[in-house]
Amino acid sequence: MTASPLLSLPGAVPVEDGSVPAHYGDPLREQRALAEGAGLVDRSDRDVLTVPGADRLSWLHSLTSQHLDRLADGAGTEALLLSPNGHVEHHLVLAELGGTTWADVEPGTGAALRDFLDRMRFMLRVEPALVTGEWALLSLVGPRAGEVLAAAGLPLPPAPYAVAATDGGGWVRRMPPLGDGADAVDLLVPRAELAARAQALREAGATPAGLDAFEALRVEARRPRIGVDTDHRTIPNETGWLTTAVHLDKGCYRGQETVARVHNLGRPPRRLVLLHLDGLSEELPAPGTPVSAGAREVGRLGTVVRHHELGVVGLALVKQSVKTDAELTAGGARAAIDPDDAPAELDDSRAAARDRVRAVRSATIPR
């Protein structure tokens, strides 16, 4: 991945791999810009793929967790590729526009996804391609995002996941809110015009904000990143992806049996929670750090951030049995689960399904 031209802006400090700005000198102020104004975030490290071809939607429908065969022009969504056992392998954010399905995915995962899609083409009329070298993603976040887009002569799609084409190539896609309700919009731009498009948005009123600020609001919104907030055992039912990236009335895709079975029983083995840490250490725990209750390991940390209002918080996958008021530790820090992340209550139908399974296992089901 080549370094972004936005690293030449004043105060820019790169992320660890040197690809995009982590911050511009004041990460907490940049978070406030996203929460209260309009911040421009360089996310051009994300991989971008295109899938043109007459069979693209029915083909992607058959491969992923999402209902895609009727995805309308100018619409977007999220989707997952699962292993045969239902474990999450790829998370795709999609946009359907002008006869092409676009997907942006985690940095560094695009080649593996393209290779998988190539193997699944068979005789279908689809041509998946990795186009990260030609296209780049920016995000505009904050309650003033719409004003900035209007001042820049760009459209604001009316609802989350709606997509609108932009002059000169690319598109604008509205996303679900970040943080405590901040508007979020993704902009796909030609990579050769990344600096110019970013400058136009800055002139329209956007404040440059680094990836650290974006990550803080993402964590607050409980939106996971694959490979950071998940591990090789993660199933969609343990995360918010079950509502954003899975169509529960759809069958016949790889891993679907696991998703349906766990959903019907109503109790996945783990759940994604927001964890508050004491913040006494200058060093933040790394993704994968164990979460413990006494001497017992009960989960793993994902992304940990310093939030401008919440302090040190992180996403964690914890066992379903862990109570919300449990006294936890992670990386030497005391930790507590956010009270909003209590385990979901079972409805009557799921409780009945679970009772039936228990009865089968104990050979006491009524005859």
Side-chain angles (χ1 to χ4, degrees):
M1 174 65 66
T2 57
S4 168
L6 272 62
L7 284 167
S8 64
L9 293 179
V13 176
V15 296
E16 189 173 338
D17 69 2
S19 57
V20 297
H23 60 84
Y24 296 92
D26 193 342
L28 297 182
R29 180 188 61 80
E30 294 162 31
Q31 285 184 41
R32 286 190 287 272
L34 300 187
E36 301 169 5
L40 178 64
V41 184
D42 183 356
R43 300 175 69 213
S44 61
D45 57 339
R46 284 181 67 80
D47 277 331
V48 181
L49 296 93
T50 56
V51 184
D55 296 326
R56 67 192 181 281
L57 290 177
S58 59
W59 179 63
L60 290 169
H61 179 90
S62 71
L63 295 174
T64 71
S65 61
Q66 189 58 273
H67 200 295
L68 298 176
D69 61 356
R70 295 186 186 90
L71 189 65
D73 189 68
T77 189
E78 299 178 45
L80 304 173
L81 277 170
L82 307 179
S83 76
N85 292 322
H87 301 131
V88 181
E89 294 187 340
H90 290 280
H91 172 240
L92 298 76
V93 188
L94 302 175
E96 172 67 18
L97 196 65
T100 295
T101 305
W102 298 78
D104 57 279
V105 298
E106 279 293 314
T109 67
L113 177 57
R114 186 267 323 276
D115 292 346
F116 171 79
L117 294 175
D118 268 337
R119 292 196 301 271
M120 303 303 292
R121 289 173 63 180
F122 305 114
M123 300 296 290
L124 295 173
R125 295 168 295 175
V126 292
E127 297 182 16
L130 181 62
V131 295
T132 309
E134 293 80 52
W135 296 93
L137 197 74
L138 297 170
S139 290
L140 188 64
V141 180
R144 293 189 53 247
E147 295 176 30
V148 170
L149 289 173
L154 295 170
L156 174 63
Y161 301 111
V163 180
T166 56
D167 294 337
W171 41 254
V172 178
R173 177 183 62 209
R174 195 162 184 170
M175 293 297 293
L178 285 172
D180 190 23
D183 290 336
V185 176
D186 291 337
L187 301 99
L188 188 79
V189 303
R191 189 168 290 275
E193 300 176 18
L194 177 59
R197 298 281 187 110
Q199 179 62 26
L201 290 165
R202 292 172 60 211
E203 291 173 355
T207 299
L211 197 59
D212 287 354
F214 183 91
E215 290 288 272
L217 269 66
R218 177 185 66 79
V219 167
E220 182 184 4
R222 280 85 160 168
R223 287 172 58 180
R225 281 182 59 190
I226 189 168
V228 181
D229 304 306
T230 68
D231 57 19
H232 67 285
R233 298 185 294 121
T234 301
I235 60 175
N237 313 63
E238 297 174 328
T239 74
W241 286 331
L242 189 67
T243 57
T244 63
V246 175
H247 197 288
L248 288 168
D249 294 331
K250 175 196 165 193
C252 299
Y253 61 89
R254 193 169 72 163
Q256 182 264 342
E257 289 185 4
T258 297
V259 174
R261 182 175 66 252
V262 174
H263 176 68
N264 289 334
L265 295 180
R267 193 170 178 84
R270 300 178 296 179
R271 70 187 194 273
L272 187 75
V273 300
L274 183 70
L275 208 62
H276 296 259
L277 284 74
D278 62 24
L280 297 179
S281 173
E282 286 294 317
E283 191 138 339
L284 299 179
T289 298
V291 177
S292 300
R296 184 169 63 103
E297 188 173 321
V298 296
R300 71 178 295 279
L301 272 176
T303 309
V304 179
V305 299
R306 295 188 189 277
H307 191 279
H308 71 289
E309 290 183 339
L310 301 177
V312 177
V313 292
L315 294 179
L317 279 170
V318 299
K319 291 181 178 180
Q320 195 66 249
S321 59
V322 177
K323 297 183 182 300
T324 310
D325 60 356
E327 294 185 5
L328 304 174
T329 58
R334 293 173 57 232
I337 297 173
D338 191 275
D340 289 339
D341 293 338
E345 294 293 329
L346 283 180
D347 60 28
D348 290 343
S349 62
R350 291 186 190 172
R354 182 183 295 174
D355 289 343
R356 186 173 180 85
V357 168
R358 285 174 177 160
V360 168
R361 286 175 177 166
S362 61
T364 60
I365 188 167
R367 298 243 192 300

